[in-house]
Amino acid sequence: MSNKHIRQVAIIGTGVIGASWAALFLAKGLDVVATDIAPDAETSLKRFVETAWPALERLGLTPGASLLRLSFTADLAEAVKGADLVQENGPERIDFKQKLYGQLDELLPADVIIASSSSGLTMSEIQLGCPSHPERCVIGHPFNPPHLIPLVEIVGGAKTSMETIKRVEKFYTSLGKKTVRLNKEVPGHVANRLQAALAREVYHLVAEDVVSAADVDTALCWGPGLRWGIMGQLVLNHLGGGHGGIEHFFQQFTGPMTAWWKVLGVPVLTPEVQKKLIEGVHAEVGTRSIDELAAERDEILLGLLELRKAADEEDEQRVA
């Protein structure tokens, strides 16, 4: 495995995800060169990073972390010059990505990893545009916002090398990320598929007037959502089985649970259903703006992250 340290990261695409990645990389003491051809992209990026910085300070900056280590250029070749890793956040269009990866293949040394934040496209498709060194291309899909949410899904394509997967996993882990490695490609990866399954039933319940938009959100965030912020579904099933654990859980609940599966909804998002959902959401959020909602989310999220960090440190002390 290459021992090359990742000290400089190139960010391609500085929308919501790219800007959030940039903030995280800077907080971890890395040099970041960002590129985007959108008008006012540099101004928007710097505004986002400055706004995110207090939260990152609260979580703890790496020595040497500085906003001054961020630079911007609209020129792709200049942006990736000297990069040890490229975090690509371009549009979810396979033609765009394949063309971009062809350019990167020509511009970058063979040992520079190209990681895509793509939430749905497969790396096997994307890396077809990278003929010389497809082995260094990998999915590194974050969860929004990446500077706060620890999850990164790592997915290799048909031609991705195991060395690349191990290197990128080591890199993300060094940033404090929680990585999951997919053993095979599936559309939407893992976390978005889980969200999609839940969203399908949420939309069905509202569309069928079983519950209002506000009440279905309450049921989620004040019920299972609180537990999911602590443990995953399978461990929670283990707890749900009492002292008999997961074995007793399946003995007790397999029948009822699989019976519910048979009556789960398959909603069609017609204009009428969308209108009902949209009206329900606006009634739920009231006068709160998108920025206000995001701030509320992030403040509570920071508290949860701090609590989990303290719990992890206590666990480490007990083990030591």
Side-chain angles (χ1 to χ4, degrees):
M1 185 187 302
S2 172
N3 292 319
K4 182 177 181 180
H5 293 293
I6 296 173
R7 297 186 177 90
Q8 181 171 316
V9 178
I11 297 283
I12 299 177
T14 58
V16 174
I17 298 299
S20 186
W21 268 126
L24 174 71
F25 293 146
L26 290 167
K28 298 304 179 179
L30 301 174
D31 292 313
V32 176
V33 184
T35 186
D36 197 313
I37 60 172
D40 299 322
E42 182 176 5
T43 301
S44 297
L45 169 63
K46 291 182 176 178
R47 185 188 305 118
F48 181 98
V49 172
E50 288 170 0
T51 301
W53 204 249
L56 291 163
E57 288 179 317
R58 182 168 155 184
L59 292 173
L61 300 177
T62 296
S66 171
L67 292 171
L68 299 177
R69 300 180 77 162
L70 172 65
S71 59
F72 183 93
T73 175
D75 184 78
L76 178 65
E78 184 65 25
V80 302
K81 184 179 180 181
D84 302 310
L85 179 140
V86 173
Q87 188 74 45
E88 174 269 311
N89 313 280
E92 290 284 275
R93 300 200 321 266
I94 191 62
D95 58 336
F96 175 90
K97 288 195 186 288
Q98 288 180 347
K99 181 180 178 181
L100 173 62
Y101 276 59
Q103 295 173 286
L104 294 174
D105 204 22
E106 295 178 359
L107 291 168
L108 294 166
D111 60 349
V112 176
I113 293 172
I114 308 172
S116 177
S117 298
S118 176
S119 61
L121 299 175
T122 66
M123 183 45 65
S124 289
E125 291 180 292
I126 295 172
Q127 66 189 175
L128 291 175
C130 191
S132 297
H133 295 286
E135 72 281 353
R136 41 88 168 270
C137 302
V138 65
I139 296 288
H141 175 243
F143 232 54
N144 190 37
H147 70 284
L148 296 181
I149 299 287
L151 178 67
V152 179
E153 298 174 311
I154 298 173
V155 197
K159 297 182 178 180
T160 305
S161 70
M162 184 53 65
E163 177 184 1
T164 295
I165 290 173
K166 289 180 179 178
R167 282 181 62 203
V168 81
E169 184 174 36
K170 181 179 179 182
F171 170 65
Y172 289 135
T173 301
S174 75
L175 304 179
K177 289 294 192 180
K178 299 292 185 182
T179 61
V180 295
R181 186 195 300 181
L182 277 66
N183 298 319
K184 60 177 69 175
E185 294 176 300
V186 290
H189 315 317
V190 170
N192 276 334
R193 289 175 70 94
L194 296 174
Q195 278 198 140
L198 181 58
R200 186 175 74 174
E201 187 61 16
V202 166
Y203 300 158
H204 169 72
L205 292 171
V206 175
E208 294 298 312
D209 291 321
V210 174
V211 69
S212 69
D215 280 351
V216 78
D217 278 350
T218 296
L220 282 175
C221 70
W222 290 103
L226 285 176
R227 299 189 304 200
W228 289 332
I230 305 165
M231 295 174 180
Q233 185 65 38
L234 291 172
V235 174
L236 288 170
N237 289 161
H238 188 50
L239 282 175
H243 292 293
I246 188 78
E247 295 87 351
H248 185 255
F249 175 87
F250 283 133
Q251 291 171 7
Q252 191 79 4
F253 297 110
T254 292
M257 183 169 57
T258 54
W260 297 336
W261 289 351
K262 296 174 183 177
V263 294
L264 291 177
V266 185
V268 178
L269 288 178
T270 63
E272 293 76 20
V273 169
Q274 291 183 44
K275 184 174 185 290
K276 180 179 287 189
L277 291 165
I278 289 167
E279 289 175 348
V281 168
H282 283 295
E284 181 180 358
V285 302
T287 60
R288 290 175 293 172
S289 69
I290 293 292
D291 288 342
E292 289 170 333
L293 289 167
E296 178 182 337
R297 175 200 65 191
D298 291 352
E299 179 61 28
I300 297 172
L301 180 57
L302 279 168
L304 177 59
L305 289 170
E306 290 170 336
L307 183 62
R308 293 200 63 166
K309 181 180 179 182
D312 288 345
E313 289 172 351
E314 288 181 10
D315 287 342
E316 290 173 1
Q317 291 174 0
R318 281 196 293 267
V319 172

